[in-house]
Amino acid sequence: MCTGLVPLQTGLRPSLCTLPGPRVGRQQLTASAVHRRGQRAGSSIISNIATAPLPPPADLRRPARQQPETDKPDLSQAPPFTLTDLKRAIPQHCWEKNTFKSVSYLVKDVAIVAGLAVAAYAANTWWAWPLYWLAQGTMFWALFVVGHDCGHQSFSNSRKLNDFVGNITHSSILVPYHGWRVSHRTHHQHHGHVENDESWHPVSKKLYESMDPMARIGRLTFPISMLAFPFYLRSRSPGKTGSHYDPTCDLFVPAEAPLVETSNRFMLGMVALLAGFTVALGPLAMFNLYFMPYWINVMWLDAVTYLHHHGPEDEEKIPWYRGEEWSYLRGGLSTIDRDYGIFNKIHHDIGTHVLHHLFPQMPHYNLEEATEAIKPIMKDYYRVPEKSKGPIPFHLWGHLSKSFQQDHFVADQGDIVFYEKDPEFAANLKASQRKASA
């Protein structure tokens, strides 16, 4: 059970993943307090929730840009409930971490990965390999989610165990665990903030217009953009500099550099292991066994991450915030739950994303029950996900495609903004394609 803030190994930053359970005061962190601390001090958000003053009444706040007209209430405005209200509605046992249960999920995933590889290698037929790529790529993604939970310290109450499992699972799919963990923590601490969010955040119109045309195509063309994750690890998002592999990147404080270096060594070990298997089994075998599933896993990761922050299932536009309009609660409420059909349990209920963003220290196996508990309080602020009509969530393909067609940039000014469309993007894309094929 989460009972309080536990510092990171560095001893310098409290972890978002150790947000206290429901026994806190009713005060809610104000956006202005967070804004003054800036991005580097974002890790203090949770520790201040219990002591910060209540925000001013809604009618005294700065007027916000209006949500595009719909029949629903304006969900970009501050909600009539607090983070504490949501916590108190969640059953106490949902906060408890069960190490045995977490390890059992990990063992099951590893067993399936090994079984699929052995069966496909033994069959070695043309028709079996594509099926294997899809199945194994999905399981690689499931392993990523296990490491993701380790990064949030929701795998167990032991930081050493969490970080060890996180390094093993993430390096096995070529992800630098600690480098990713810190940037993902930044994503949670500043979710919904135009400039301070870390992954799949919108670009301002000015930044959009300054981007190289090929960079725009790579970021905003579906499905090419679903291959972005390895490039994000190397060079981050547009408008940001540095790398997840570089201990001196401004993502990290100096005391975190040894952790980043540790994950890099795990990565090098995995590269050496892959090289050994390539020598032993041959390049073609490793292409089928590892390379293709790796890219399927990347597509899962990018698609799921994007869908949780873009493309709602009606005409509503998701708000993004700046300045005093941003708060941890409002940013978290701008995320979206999704139904992934048969894959919900395979990838450990990652679709219950709203509650996960608000309380990332909660184990994945309790997210569904906790979500049901907070729905009566959230009311319209909970966007009910469209149910998959079958085991495969084909309905999400349309939301992805539509979002990439119209969600290109946000206004340079304004504390509440919504995605806008570049009317020339489609024409520029076609021109670039003609130029490339000429």
Side-chain angles (χ1 to χ4, degrees), residues 293-322:
Y294 168 80
W295 284 105
I296 297 296
N297 150 68
V298 167
M299 294 180 73
W300 264 115
L301 194 156
D302 276 313
V304 169
T305 304
Y306 186 90
L307 281 166
H308 287 158
H309 300 275
H310 300 77
E313 289 151 348
D314 52 26
E315 295 305 313
E316 177 199 3
K317 288 283 189 177
I318 297 298
W320 290 82
Y321 302 97
R322 293 186 177 103

Side-chain angles (χ1 to χ4, degrees), residues 33 43 83 114 195 265 277 308 326 334 347 356 382 395 397 417:
S43 58
L83 196 64
E195 283 82 21
R265 286 192 285 270
F277 276 117
H308 287 158
W326 181 88
S334 70
H347 59 205
H356 165 68
Y382 180 77
H395 66 293
W397 184 272
V417 293

Side-chain angles (χ1 to χ4, degrees), residues 76-305:
S76 69
Q77 296 299 314
F81 51 84
T82 67
L83 196 64
T84 300
D85 294 331
L86 298 179
K87 288 180 186 178
R88 288 180 172 173
I90 298 172
Q92 183 70 26
H93 65 267
C94 289
W95 303 94
E96 298 174 0
K97 305 167 191 176
N98 186 321
T99 303
F100 178 82
K101 183 178 288 188
S102 296
V103 171
S104 69
Y105 283 108
L106 171 63
V107 169
K108 180 191 70 175
D109 289 349
V110 171
I112 294 174
V113 167
L116 287 171
V118 170
Y121 186 74
N124 195 23
T125 57
W126 66 268
W127 57 266
W129 283 119
L131 298 175
Y132 167 80
W133 299 339
L134 293 172
Q136 190 71 296
T138 300
M139 291 311 303
F140 280 11
W141 161 237
L143 285 178
F144 176 89
V145 177
V146 172
H148 162 273
D149 289 356
C150 291
H152 284 298
Q153 304 301 312
S154 64
F155 185 84
S156 75
N157 288 315
S158 168
R159 179 170 293 277
K160 289 184 177 180
L161 176 62
N162 294 339
D163 288 347
F164 176 74
V165 172
N167 270 308
I168 292 294
T169 54
H170 274 193
S171 62
S172 72
I173 50 175
L174 301 181
V175 176
Y177 168 70
H178 280 298
W180 169 86
R181 176 184 63 78
V182 174
S183 74
H184 190 66
R185 181 184 65 200
T186 302
H187 165 56
H188 271 259
Q189 291 166 345
H190 300 283
H191 48 207
H193 194 290
V194 175
E195 283 82 21
N196 295 342
D197 204 340
E198 177 60 28
S199 60
W200 281 122
H201 60 85
V203 296
S204 66
K205 184 177 182 180
K206 181 179 180 180
L207 177 58
Y208 176 83
E209 292 174 344
S210 69
M211 290 172 63
D212 180 88
M214 293 307 296
R216 291 188 203 171
I217 292 173
R219 179 177 172 85
L220 297 172
T221 304
F222 177 74
I224 296 174
S225 53
M226 296 296 96
L227 303 175
F229 185 64
F231 306 97
Y232 162 71
L233 290 177
R234 186 188 67 185
S235 54
R236 300 177 69 193
S237 299
K240 301 181 187 294
T241 59
S243 169
H244 290 74
Y245 304 98
D246 181 6
T248 65
C249 175
D250 63 6
L251 269 171
F252 317 117
V253 298
E256 289 171 331
L259 299 175
V260 176
E261 292 169 351
T262 295
S263 292
N264 288 345
R265 286 192 285 270
F266 272 90
M267 289 279 290
L268 290 173
M270 183 60 190
V271 171
L273 190 62
L274 290 173
F277 276 117
T278 302
V279 171
L281 302 178
L284 181 59
M286 288 304 293
F287 175 87
N288 284 317
L289 286 171
Y290 189 87
F291 182 82
M292 289 302 294
Y294 168 80
W295 284 105
I296 297 296
N297 150 68
V298 167
M299 294 180 73
W300 264 115
L301 194 156
D302 276 313
V304 169
T305 304

Side-chain angles (χ1 to χ4, degrees), residues 349-424:
D349 291 318
I350 197 69
T352 49
H353 207 66
V354 176
L355 191 135
H356 165 68
H357 253 267
L358 293 173
F359 307 109
Q361 79 287 359
M362 184 175 293
H364 71 84
Y365 40 81
N366 292 332
L367 290 176
E368 284 190 334
E369 180 181 356
T371 296
E372 291 300 319
I374 65 174
K375 282 182 183 179
I377 296 176
M378 292 180 65
K379 297 182 180 178
D380 287 324
Y381 281 83
Y382 180 77
R383 300 171 177 88
V384 179
E386 179 183 351
K387 290 295 183 181
S388 177
K389 295 179 175 60
I392 309 300
F394 291 116
H395 66 293
L396 296 177
W397 184 272
H399 299 307
L400 266 176
S401 178
K402 183 178 179 180
S403 178
F404 275 104
Q405 291 172 21
Q406 62 186 23
D407 295 341
H408 296 151
F409 57 82
V410 297
D412 295 323
Q413 304 295 326
D415 284 356
I416 302 180
V417 293
F418 305 91
Y419 265 111
E420 299 177 30
K421 180 179 180 178
D422 175 6
E424 300 179 358

